[in-house]
């Protein structure tokens, strides 16, 4: 029975993540449309949701083209890496207290490790394409991810210090007593948010593909389903980062404590998890709609000169508070 | 040099110039209308007003007309002060009161001096609300349109037509604001230089009808610097194309050659390029005598087979083909089997001209001719045979006026004053021709003699100059004395002769006169007019082999390059040519030789191929391809003759490689290379554009064929591009496709390309004189060898082989006539109502008899037109009276022009 | 620094509010947008009040065209009236900038509010005179260029245009 549950959760996660990523393609464009006073894609199926399916069919039906000048093996491997690492990242996400694939005692480190591995995908894609735009995109991506990796990890250390565990289930449980970490670890939350955007290279930090300068950056040469995998990876990382933010800072499956107990008892915990994750995704899309892309040097100085000191300050304060109070 | 101060800045200007010239030379923009660099000032339009200050304290100044003001040292002027600009604007405003709202439907629009000047002064609003005066237009012939409403009464047209070109049928009529420029009644403008009215008129009163028929704005024309192929004078022209057709020919200023003016043959004669007689396909004649169109590759393969199967291959060049084409032919058939295509008599005449060109006697170009103060014309019908030279001769007769002006310290640019002063005083011009001459009106002495007598006169003058005893009649001796006196009195005497009477004796006698005169006066000049655009070139290239001798050497294959041999041949030679097994012809237009050929190749005209031509003064000048015939969708087979001939020889060479080979074989032609830059020339790494930067319709002009735009054709032969890509203005004159400068859209913009007004080119002159004049002058034997009374009369429209196929010029061609005096008529038993028939092998020619008493005894004068080409070289022809003869109806325009000229 | 961060947050807020704003776009083609008469769509050639072609083939539209997609050739009827022998617009190049209309001195060439001119074959985007010429006067009724120009055409001799005096009798000697 136990094994069947795990089996179901794994496949549920797999299908759910893929499905959500596909629907996000449509959802993001629709939402962007509203924010830009347009209607957005609304022609295929009800509200245009069929666009998600149409997009998938299109990508699958396209010619599987490998440019003759590219490094064939690397070129094919690169897009698969990002999807694999992101999907592995979902292994440690606790949907509820009991619903998860694995509650590792190093869950947080595993998540960080997996997101770090995703950089290979972008870097190899850029290198293997043998294209100057792709190479530039790959280089930018490597520098950006290596830099933001640092504060991403450090920003979570406050949380770990308070909850005393790397297990994500434990972290959520800590929040049930302690209150959501978004309040006590506000600085950590801000830094993690920024680093999350940079890690998933979403707008406004999508410099590796910056179409104004680099055509399409590291995936300039990609088309068909290989390009589709990069897209998928990006949306998966969006969902993963959002669920991590939910889990770590917004109390995961816990309902808001100011609501009456009746409501909290009535509404299943998984709803809270998905509702929070969804809101977080919408916020990411809003960022894309509202904030322009910075220059590359601005991005780097923002990271090293602002986020790193902030993280360190956060750690110091958290440490001090834990020691003396 | 004189230093003047304009708006506080000092300028060094040429002394003796007028202020307008000085300001324009200094690069300042001053508007003007009536002043013309070649015609001087009259101060009629009041447009060039500037302010002159008396001294440093003077702040008020007074308005003066800059064209009427001589420059003096330290004089102070202002162009930009408000009183001057205001004055100039009000002048334009007044001129524009009656100017119609015509610009969109005016042929001058876009290259209009009036538009330029209006924009320059800033006038933009017609405040006057009264009615505009209007005028009726006149029919001025098939070449020039008339739209009097647009006139601003600057008087440039009559000043050019009457004063400069000597015409009498265009004048100013009526009074006050009714002034009208036109003829007394509708009719063809009779002057041979009437076409210059189009250039001279600052607005659209006189327009080019041949352009208007398929009108294209200046900015849309693809142009190239070309050399006129109408005669041997080598005038520089711009030829312009649109949609694969030659649209117009325009004057290209060349200081030493044509200056600002062209003759009407040159300006309106290029229509032959668009002729329906164009050969556009390679063709092989089948058994049935009809031509089968074949691909160029097949045709060339067939020619190679012909050559391979032949014992003896002969190449006949042409005096109307470029040096490059002749060289390629010479290279293909070998030096011993090549001749330059001239009949023996032509060869003889041109060897005299070449000898004179090589001698140390001055052989002036057309600009220099204007400096000679006594001219003797021996037998040459300048106006019809070398037309542009006649305009120079006419100016030379004004040297007396210049002298008188110098005596009274009158500046030469004071045109009206100088003419008033001189009245009818002219420098001596002596003309000895068989028929009445168009320059007779300015001649001091004009005598009608048969060609042989003209030669005798020449030899006698030479003898007289050397002090030898004289023989002959008293009248003859008196003429000799008078001419000799005038020549010895002159400071710079000039002898002009040429090939128009086809008599080598006349040329020899002219050379002898010049040589004799040279002994006493080293400023003596001689000017011998050659026959065709490249006669001197091919005479220099190779003048060894005789055409009849080569044809008689029983060749199996004869390659004829751009030469209509048959039409100009005697029957015996025609039969010889007809019996040849393989006759290969390269030509532009269908003609008698082409229709006798066994294989024909479509040769490019001057407008489609680059080529070098050598004019009568030995100046090599490069003519560039105007357009690539293949660029309009379907690939064209038309190609430069030298490319076609090279293809037969299995070579692919650019024109400069052909020239390099030519110079290697004939080192005396070395300077041909420096006539213009070759294809590797560039300005800042760019080629020179043939189209203006405003050329329109690039993505639509061929869209009816295919919406996918073809690549622009590549010009491997020259440093110019067939597009608007490349430099537009900074090119040397030999690569300039048009004169156009910011704010100066009309042809007046030429002054922006000159170092000083009418001076040297800022970006490099074009052309190169080929010969170093080192040999001592030859003295020829004074026996007269050529006698005979059948004399060709050249006609500006019709006597040149190609230009007579231009539609408009063909309509002005004379009818067949034969002129004689009443004595000769009596001998032949004919009167003016009769016809005379000439019976030749293939055709019969019927002539109208015209009796003209001035024609010398025993002389019969016929018009040299395509039908009568077979008579050239004949001294006598069997003529039979036709009974009950009805003269053919002449075209209206031709009728008008003959009657007008007779009056 | 703070100001910059605040400004980002304000823009986030403002953009977010647009969720509740009405869309500016419409459901074309079910719902047709309103296009003003001076909208720059398909180009037409118009006629003057007498029903003659207004175009006088002056070439100004062609030279004004930034993509060089207009080509035409002038012809002249027996009475001296200029008209285009052919007039071709390559709409596959046209950018509907309206410079040709600005340049036209006779109000002949006009842009219309029709923009629905897609084709499956690019060649069909090449419009000749017969496709361009309409029978009406378009946006500028009443104007006839030849009525103000000095050139004589059929049924309008010298001196008969607007604000023109009768032709001068050049034989008159009156002062």
């Amino acid at each position: 029975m136990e094994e069947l549950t795990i089996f179901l959760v794994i496949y549920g996660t797999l299908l759910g993540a893929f499905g959500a990523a596909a629907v996000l393609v449509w959802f993001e464009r629709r939402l962007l449309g509203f924010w830009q006073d347009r209607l957005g894609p609304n022609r295929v199926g009800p509200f245009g949701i069929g666009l998600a399916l149409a997009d998938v069919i299109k990508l699958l039906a396209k010619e599987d083209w490998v440019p003759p000048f590219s490094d064939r093996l690397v070129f094919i491997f690169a897009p698969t890496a990002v999807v694999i690492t992101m999907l592995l990242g979902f292994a440690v996400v606790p949907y509820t207290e009991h619903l998860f694939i694995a509650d590792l005692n190093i869950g947080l480190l595993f998540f960080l490790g997996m997101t770090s591995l995703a950089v290979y995908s972008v870097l190899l894609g850029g290198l293997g394409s043998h294209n100057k735009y792709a190479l530039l995109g790959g280089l930018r991506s490597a520098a950006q991810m290596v830099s933001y990796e640092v504060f991403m990890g450090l920003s979570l250390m406050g949380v770990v210090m308070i909850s005393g565990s790397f297990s994500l289930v434990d972290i959520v449980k800590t929040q049930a007593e302690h209150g959501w970490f978004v309040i006590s670890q506000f600085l950590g939350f801000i830094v993690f948010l920024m680093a999350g955007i940079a890690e998933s290279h979403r707008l406004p930090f999508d410099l590796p593909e910056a179409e104004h300068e680099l055509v399409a950056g590291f995936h300039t040469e990609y088309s068909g389903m290989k390009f589709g995998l990069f897209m998928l990876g990006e949306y998966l990382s969006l969902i993963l980062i959002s669920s991590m933010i939910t889990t770590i800072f917004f109390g995961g499956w816990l309902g808001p404590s100011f609501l009456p107990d009746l409501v909290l008892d009535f509404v299943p915990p998984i709803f809270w998890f998905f509702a929070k994750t969804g809101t977080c995704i919408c916020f990411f899309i809003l960022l894309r709609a509202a904030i322009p892309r910075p220059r590359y040097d601005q991005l780097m100085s923002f990271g090293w000169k602002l986020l790193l000191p902030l993280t360190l300050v956060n750690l110091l304060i958290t440490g001090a508070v834990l020691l003396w109070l | 040099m004189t230093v003047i101060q304009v708006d506080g800045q000092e300028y060094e200007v040429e002394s003796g110039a007028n202020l307008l010239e000085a300001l324009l030379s200094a690069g300042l923009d001053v508007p003007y209308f009536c002043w013309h660099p070649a015609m001087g000032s009259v101060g009629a339009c009041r447009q060039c007003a500037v302010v002159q200050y008396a001294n440093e304290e003077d702040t008020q100044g007074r308005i003066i007309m800059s064209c009427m003001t001589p420059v003096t040292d330290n004089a102070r002027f202002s162009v930009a002060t408000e009183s001057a600009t205001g004055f100039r604007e009000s002048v334009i405003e007044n001129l524009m009161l009656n100017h119609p709202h015509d610009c969109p439907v005016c042929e001058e629009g876009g290259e209009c001096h009036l538009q330029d000047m209006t924009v320059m002064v800033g006038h933009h609003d017609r405040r006057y609300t009264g009615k505009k005066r209007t005028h009726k237009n006149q029919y001025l012939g098939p070449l020039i349109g008339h739209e009097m409403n647009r006139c601003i009464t600057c008087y440039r047209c009559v000043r050019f037509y009457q004063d400069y070109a000597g015409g009498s049928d265009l004048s100013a009529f009526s009074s006050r604001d009714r002034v009208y420029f036109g003829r007394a009644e509708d009719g063809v403008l009779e002057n041979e230089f009437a076409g210059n009215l189009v250039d001279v008129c600052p607005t659209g009163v006189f327009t080019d009808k041949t352009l208007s028929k398929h009108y294209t704005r200046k900015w849309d024309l693809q142009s190239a610097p070309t050399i006129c192929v109408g005669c041997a004078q080598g005038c520089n022209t711009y030829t312009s194309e649109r949609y694969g057709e030659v649209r117009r020919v325009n004057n290209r200023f060349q200081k030493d050659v044509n200056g600002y003016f062209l003759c009407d043959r040159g300006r309106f004669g290029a229509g032959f390029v668009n002729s329906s007689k164009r050969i556009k396909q390679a063709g092989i004649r089948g058994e049935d005598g009809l031509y089968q169109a074949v691909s160029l590759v097949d045709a060339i393969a067939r020619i190679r087979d012909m050559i391979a199967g032949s014992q003896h291959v002969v190449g006949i060049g042409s005096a109307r083909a470029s040096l490059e084409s002749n060289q390629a032919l010479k290279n293909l058939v070998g030096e011993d089997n090549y001749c330059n295509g001239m009949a023996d008599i032509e060869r003889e005449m041109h060897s005299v001209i070449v000898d004179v060109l090589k001698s140390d006697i001055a052989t002036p170009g057309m600009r220099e001719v204007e400096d000679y103060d006594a001219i003797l014309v021996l037998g040459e019908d300048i106006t019809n045979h070398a037309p542009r030279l006649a305009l120079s001769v006419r100016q030379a007769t004004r040297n007396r006026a210049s002298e008188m002006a110098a005596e009274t310290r009158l500046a030469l640019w004071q045109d009206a004053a100088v003419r008033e002063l001189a009245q009818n005083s002219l420098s001596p011009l002596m003309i000895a021709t068989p028929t009445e001459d168009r320059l007779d009106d300015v001649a001091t002495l004009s005598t009608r003699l048969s060609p042989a007598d003209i030669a005798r006169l020449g030899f006698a003058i030479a003898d007289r100059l050397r002090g030898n005893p004289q023989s002959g009649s008293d009248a003859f001796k008196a003429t000799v004395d008078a001419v000799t006196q005038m020549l010895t009195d002159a400071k710079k005497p000039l002898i002009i002769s040429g090939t128009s009477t086809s008599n080598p004796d006349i040329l020899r006698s002219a050379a002898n006169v010049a040589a004799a005169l040279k002994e006493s006066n080293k400023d003596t000049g001689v000017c011998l007019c050659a026959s065709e655009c490249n006669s001197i070139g091919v005479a220099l290239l190779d003048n060894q082999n005789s055409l009849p001798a080569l044809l008689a050497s029983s060749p199996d294959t004869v390659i004829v390059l751009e030469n209509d041999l048959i039409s100009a041949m005697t029957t015996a030679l025609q039969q010889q040519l007809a019996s040849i097994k393989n006759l290969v012809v390269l030509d532009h237009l269908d003609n008698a030789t082409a229709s006798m050929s066994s294989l024909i190749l479509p040769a490019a005209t001057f407008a489609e191929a680059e080529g070098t031509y050598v004019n009568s003064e030995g100046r090599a000048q490069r003519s560039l391809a105007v357009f690539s015939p293949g660029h309009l969708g379907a690939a064209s087979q038309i190609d430069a003759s030298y490319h076609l001939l090279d293809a037969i020889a299995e070579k692919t060479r650019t024109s400069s490689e052909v020239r390099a080979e030519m110079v290697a074989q004939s080192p005396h032609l070395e300077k041909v290379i420096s006539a213009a830059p070759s294809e590797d020339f560039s300005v800042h790494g760019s080629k020179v554009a043939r189209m203006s930067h405003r050329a329109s319709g690039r993505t639509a002009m061929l869209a009816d064929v295919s919406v996918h735009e073809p690549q622009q054709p590549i010009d491997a032969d020259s440093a110019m591009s067939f597009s608007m890509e490349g430099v537009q203005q900074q090119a040397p004159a030999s690569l300039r496709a048009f004169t156009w400068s910011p704010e100066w859209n009309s042809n007046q913009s030429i002054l922006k390309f000159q170092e000083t007004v009418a001076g040297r080119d800022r970006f490099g002159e074009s052309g190169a004189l080929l010969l170093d004049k080192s040999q001592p002058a030859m003295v020829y034997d004074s026996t007269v060898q050529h006698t005979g009374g059948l004399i060709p009369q050249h006609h500006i429209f019709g006597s040149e082989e190609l230009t007579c196929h231009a539609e408009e010029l063909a309509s002005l061609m004379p009818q067949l006539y034969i002129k004689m005096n009443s004595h000769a008529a009596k001998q032949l038993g004919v009167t003016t109502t009769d016809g005379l028939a000439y019976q030749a092998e293939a055709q019969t020619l019927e002539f109208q008899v015209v009796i003209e008493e001035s024609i010398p005894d025993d002389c019969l004068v016929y018009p040299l037109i395509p039908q009568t080409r077979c008579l050239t070289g004949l001294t006598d022809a069997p003529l039979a009276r036709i009974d009950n003869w009805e003269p053919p109806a002449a075209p209206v325009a031709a009728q008008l022009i003959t009657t007008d000229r007779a009056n | 620094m703070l100001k910059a961060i605040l400004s980002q947050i304000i823009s986030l807020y403002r953009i977010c509010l647009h969720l509740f704003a009405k869309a500016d776009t419409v459901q074309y083609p079910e719902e047709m947008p309103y296009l003003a008469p001076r909208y720059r769509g398909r180009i037409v050639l118009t006629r003057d009040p007498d029903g003659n072609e207004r175009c006088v083939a002056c070439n100004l539209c062609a030279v004004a065209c930034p993509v060089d997609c207009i080509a035409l050739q002038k012809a002249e009827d027996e009475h001296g009236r200029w008209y285009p022998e052919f007039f071709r617009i390559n709409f596959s190049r046209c950018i509907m900038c309206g410079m040709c209309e600005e340049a036209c001195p006779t109000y002949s060439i006009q842009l219309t509010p029709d923009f629905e001119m897609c084709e499956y074959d690019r060649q069909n985007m090449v419009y000749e005179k017969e496709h361009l010429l309409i029978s009406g006067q378009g946006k500028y009724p009443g104007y006839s260029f030849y009525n103000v120009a000095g050139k004589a055409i059929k049924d309008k001799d010298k001196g008969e245009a607007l604000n023109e005096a009768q032709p001068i009798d050049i034989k008159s000697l009156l002062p």
Side-chain angles (χ1 to χ4, degrees), chain B residues 100-107 126 128-138 147-150 173-180 184 212-217 219-220 242-243 247 694-709 724, chain C residues 56-60 62-65 67-76 82 85-86 88-90 92-93 105-106 121-123 125-126 128 143 145-146 148-152 157-160 162-175:
Chain B
H101 187 64
D102 259 7
C103 297
V105 290
C106 175
E107 288 88 344
R126 184 176 184 263
Y128 176 67
T129 50
K131 294 195 164 191
K132 290 182 177 182
R133 69 128 168 73
T134 57
H135 282 295
K136 292 266 186 213
N137 299 332
Q138 282 182 330
E147 186 67 41
M148 249 318 280
N149 277 0
R150 299 170 187 158
F173 294 99
S174 201
S175 60
R176 59 174 178 96
D177 70 339
R178 292 183 300 231
V179 173
Y180 188 89
S212 183
K213 215 164 59 174
H214 42 205
Y215 182 65
T216 308
R217 298 256 177 231
W219 60 69
D220 279 344
R242 177 82 169 168
Y243 301 124
R247 293 280 157 115
R694 294 187 199 163
S696 77
R698 182 179 54 83
T699 67
M701 59 194 296
L702 299 173
D704 56 332
V705 183
S706 166
V707 74
H708 306 285
E709 288 118 30
M724 58 175 95
Chain C
V56 299
C58 71
N59 274 295
L60 287 178
V63 73
C65 180
V67 290
D68 287 345
C69 74
I70 304 179
L72 67 154
Q73 173 60 51
K74 172 248 173 185
E76 197 171 329
W82 286 27
E85 183 186 325
F86 68 81
R88 187 180 306 130
I89 299 182
N90 180 355
S92 75
R93 287 286 189 189
T106 67
D121 183 358
R122 215 179 126 200
Q123 189 66 48
M125 300 290 280
V126 179
E128 297 288 340
Y143 183 75
F145 169 75
Y146 279 107
V148 291
K151 220 170 152 65
D157 208 350
K158 293 280 174 194
E160 290 173 10
L162 215 67
N163 213 14
E164 266 189 3
Q166 276 305 300
I168 298 263
D169 172 17
I170 58 163
K171 301 219 166 92
S172 162
L173 288 176
L174 290 173

Side-chain angles (χ1 to χ4, degrees), chain B residues 16 78 124 188 226 259-260 262 275 369 480 487 615 669 757 804 824 828 888:
Chain B
S78 171
H124 50 79
V188 183
T226 49
Y260 289 91
L262 283 183
S275 166
V369 165
V480 172
L487 288 177
N615 77 353
L669 292 174
V757 166
C804 67
L828 282 166

Side-chain angles (χ1 to χ4, degrees), chain A residues 239-258:
Chain A
I239 301 168
L240 183 61
I241 294 288
S242 300
S243 39
M244 275 302 156
I245 290 174
T246 308
T247 309
I248 299 168
F249 293 103
F250 288 92
W253 61 82
L254 302 171
S257 51
F258 55 82

